[in-house]
Amino acid sequence: LDAEYAKKTTYKERIGHGMWAGSLISAALSTVIPGPGTVHLEQNLKFNEAVRLGDTLTVTLTVKEKLAHNRVEMDCSVRNQDNIEIITGTSLIAAPTDKVSLQEPNLPRIEIETT
């Protein structure tokens, strides 16, 4: 995230950490589809482009295959506001067998300070 250092890199500008964008896939699986009760078993990601500061990211999950024992293989994609595919991959999950509803927790505030 250092601007001077970033000028010397492949991207020539500051970029976001790719695994942060990858974690959005896990968040979508555990909160939206299939939702609470999902157990994440495997993740395979390919980072196609950099995540730039200020990007708006959209996660798309598609059921690829339903397997035995409530296992589901999902195709995963993360695109930016220009419809550029930043991340592609697959996730293997154990889907919940019962509908689980949770109250939204109060999450701690996260701040990063430099000195």
Side-chain angles (χ1 to χ4, degrees):
L1 294 178
D2 179 88
E4 289 304 311
Y5 176 80
K7 289 178 186 176
K8 302 173 193 169
T9 68
T10 302
Y11 296 105
K12 307 295 184 212
E13 65 181 316
R14 297 182 306 159
I15 60 173
H17 196 290
M19 232 11 240
W20 176 82
S23 72
L24 295 176
I25 294 169
S26 179
L29 286 165
S30 63
T31 61
V32 181
I33 180 175
T38 298
V39 177
H40 211 132
L41 302 171
E42 280 181 32
Q43 184 83 39
N44 180 353
L45 300 176
K46 180 178 178 190
F47 299 90
N48 303 311
E49 293 290 334
V51 176
R52 304 230 178 331
L53 303 184
D55 276 356
T56 299
L57 303 177
T58 301
V59 175
T60 301
L61 303 171
T62 305
V63 173
K64 181 176 180 177
E65 186 176 3
K66 292 182 181 181
L67 306 165
H69 309 291
N70 298 329
R71 303 299 198 253
V72 180
E73 187 173 8
M74 308 284 287
D75 282 328
C76 308
S77 172
V78 179
R79 293 180 178 271
N80 69 11
Q81 67 282 355
D82 299 319
N83 204 33
I84 295 171
E85 199 164 45
I86 301 297
I87 298 173
T88 55
T90 58
S91 292
L92 179 64
I93 57 146
T97 56
D98 297 316
K99 176 76 174 161
V100 178
S101 296
L102 302 174
Q103 267 190 310
E104 186 175 302
N106 290 323
L107 299 175
R109 182 178 169 154
I110 297 173
E111 293 184 31
I112 300 173
E113 295 182 24
T114 59
T115 56

